[in-house]
Amino acid sequence: MTITDFLFEIVRKLDPERAHLLTIQALKLGITPRYSNNSDGALISEVFGIKFQNPIGLAAGFDKSAEAFYSLDKLGCGFVEVGTLTLKPQAGNERPRVFRLEEDQAIINRYGFNNDGLSRAVKRLSKRVKSTGVLGINIGINKDSTTPIADYEEALRIVSPLADYITINISSPNTPGLRDLQSSEKLEKLLRSIEKSRFENEVQILTPPILLKIAPDLTEKEIKEIAQIALKTGVSGLIVSNTTVTRPSFIKGNRRSEQGGLSGPPLFELSTKKLAQTYLACKGKIPLIGVGGVDSAETAYAKIRAGANLVQLYTALTYRGPCLFKSINDGLNLLIKNDNFRNVQDAVGIDAKYWADKKILN
Ligand SMILES: Cc1cc2nc3c(=O)[nH]c(=O)nc-3n(C[C@H](O)[C@H](O)[C@H](O)COP(=O)(O)O)c2cc1C
């Protein structure tokens, strides 16, 4: 057992929020193993005009306040998405607000966008040096926001000089009213305003690609509407998906009825089906990031074959530990070669129809 495995086992025994805070502190201090972020050229790709050393990224919510980006970047992932960050600092919901469902290797959380706020995060991120990996910044709105569109525009202006890409989060289940922004009328208004605010005198001043993160609980009709709006408003990509408010009948963990968003393996099939539906609705014209229940090379590859150009994970990292990115990338490389693909991007969407129509247990 390595020292990292030993520390990981200790942390895993703590209450999940304390375990997370401790992990962030350790990462801030640089107490972290290092893994290479590229096992083979077959995993390198260019998506949204950005070069990724490998397609497996860390999803939003792990480094909410952009404190540990520099260490996370060394775990062998292809990219790190920090946030969700809001304009003002926010304490989030009352504790306890995150629960492990050990039997299902899953998590339910109702954090409610606890974060240090954009100005502190910006100070941290402005020290970033060019040699670090791809950085996504995920932005949301404060719980008491009465001007969501203006808030997203302002957040976008603030993070644009720092981010390689920006994610507009309208899908977290723990901020009242947030997910209503996914309705076609509100979404079109939001995205049109955002697109307009990126230009001054018809010159684009804010340049990073903008991605939209959506919920797995949308119907196929809603996904089609979102895809159409995304295509006509210049969104660069979609992230499918956030956590689910549904509780599949097969989950066993005794905290299953806690309120909040469910993540991990029980979300895999649902989020992969929604990913494939999004891929077909976008006709492959917008790159997608597939998230939800990825815990192995096989599940990452399934996301890619269902339509994802890139993949993210969070929950599995808390159960499997920091060597996960490397083991997924090594396995993915073999799976791609076994299927005679020269590059990971050649496999994107091959099983989209199968996944979009798949009857899933929920
Ligand atoms: C504890 C926890 C906190 C999260 N916080 C955020 C967040 O702040 N913003 C966000 O967009 N997604 C957040 N997520 C959702 C993840 O980014 C991801 O979409 C979801 O967990 C599904 O992936 P997974 O099954 O690999 O965890 C959070 C997830 C977890 C488990």
Side-chain angles (χ1 to χ4, degrees):
M1 190 185 247
T2 65
I3 179 81
T4 311
D5 295 337
F6 177 69
L7 292 174
F8 179 67
E9 282 312 312
I10 294 179
V11 167
R12 284 259 300 114
K13 291 196 169 57
L14 300 174
D15 143 82
E17 180 155 358
R18 285 191 62 198
H20 187 239
L21 292 173
L22 208 70
T23 306
I24 293 287
Q25 287 312 315
L27 288 163
K28 271 170 82 172
L29 292 170
I31 308 171
T32 165
R34 287 171 182 235
Y35 299 100
S36 154
N37 67 357
N38 182 17
S39 38
D40 194 275
L43 297 185
I44 299 178
S45 38
E46 194 173 311
V47 186
F48 332 113
I50 300 170
K51 188 174 177 187
F52 291 83
Q53 287 299 321
N54 70 64
I56 314 296
L58 177 62
F62 192 91
D63 189 10
K64 282 182 185 275
S65 296
E67 296 171 273
F69 168 74
Y70 302 98
S71 292
L72 289 166
D73 188 43
K74 297 186 176 73
L75 293 183
C77 50
F79 58 113
V80 175
E81 186 170 316
V82 299
T84 295
L85 286 155
T86 55
L87 280 179
K88 292 182 293 173
Q90 190 164 274
N93 292 323
E94 262 178 45
R95 295 183 193 190
R97 51 194 179 174
V98 54
F99 308 91
R100 288 193 193 103
L101 281 70
E102 292 278 349
E103 298 94 322
D104 311 285
Q105 301 272 291
I107 290 178
I108 291 177
N109 92 85
R110 51 169 180 269
Y111 271 115
F113 289 170
N114 54 315
N115 75 103
D116 290 348
L118 269 171
S119 23
R120 285 182 72 185
V122 161
K123 271 195 198 125
R124 291 174 187 137
L125 290 172
S126 46
K127 293 185 196 128
R128 179 180 167 219
V129 283
K130 279 213 172 99
S131 61
T132 53
V134 174
L135 170 71
I137 304 184
N138 178 309
I139 54 174
I141 49 168
N142 286 102
K143 191 177 178 181
D144 61 0
S145 168
T146 51
T147 51
I149 293 184
D151 287 5
Y152 273 115
E153 283 175 8
E154 193 179 342
L156 190 79
R157 259 193 302 279
I158 295 171
V159 300
S160 276
L162 299 163
D164 292 315
Y165 74 84
I166 297 167
T167 301
I168 309 279
N169 181 8
I170 47 166
S171 50
S172 284
N174 305 310
T175 296
L178 186 80
R179 289 183 308 156
D180 297 346
L181 292 171
Q182 294 175 121
S183 74
S184 47
E185 202 182 312
K186 287 189 177 159
L187 183 64
E188 181 152 2
K189 211 168 150 201
L190 171 70
L191 293 179
R192 289 221 179 273
S193 305
I194 282 179
E195 190 53 15
K196 223 165 116 196
S197 72
R198 301 175 84 195
F199 287 83
E200 220 168 63
N201 301 327
E202 293 183 20
V203 177
Q204 189 169 350
I205 46 162
L206 307 178
T207 49
I210 292 182
L211 279 55
L212 193 67
K213 184 165 178 179
I214 61 175
D217 305 323
L218 298 164
T219 62
E220 189 170 8
K221 181 171 171 278
E222 288 168 326
I223 286 179
K224 282 184 180 156
E225 286 168 2
I226 290 177
Q228 269 180 11
I229 295 167
L231 283 165
K232 65 183 180 193
T233 51
V235 166
S236 297
L238 293 168
I239 304 186
V240 193
S241 74
N242 216 310
T243 55
T244 177
V245 291
T246 64
R247 295 292 179 266
S249 53
F250 57 83
I251 59 173
K252 303 181 208 77
N254 59 4
R255 307 310 290 256
R256 55 167 292 145
S257 38
E258 289 292 347
Q259 215 189 326
L262 172 72
S263 58
L267 173 62
F268 176 73
E269 288 222 320
L270 175 66
S271 58
T272 309
K273 183 177 169 103
K274 298 298 162 178
L275 167 74
Q277 289 177 347
T278 311
Y279 177 83
L280 295 176
C282 293
K283 303 186 176 76
K285 287 185 191 152
I286 305 183
L288 305 178
I289 300 184
V291 205
V294 171
D295 60 358
S296 61
E298 287 72 20
T299 45
Y301 191 41
K303 289 277 186 205
I304 292 163
R305 294 182 63 114
N309 299 81
L310 300 165
V311 173
Q312 287 177 328
L313 59 87
Y314 177 163
T315 302
L317 191 65
T318 69
Y319 284 100
R320 306 288 170 95
C323 62
L324 185 64
F325 290 111
K326 178 167 170 30
S327 80
I328 291 185
N329 278 318
D330 288 349
L332 188 58
N333 199 16
L334 291 176
L335 290 166
I336 289 166
K337 301 257 161 75
N338 278 348
D339 284 347
N340 291 320
F341 293 119
R342 281 192 26 231
N343 185 275
V344 59
Q345 295 302 320
D346 299 336
V348 173
I350 276 189
D351 294 336
K353 185 93 185 67
Y354 162 81
W355 273 103
D357 296 338
K358 190 171 176 359
K359 293 255 174 298
I360 57 164
L361 267 177
N362 221 29

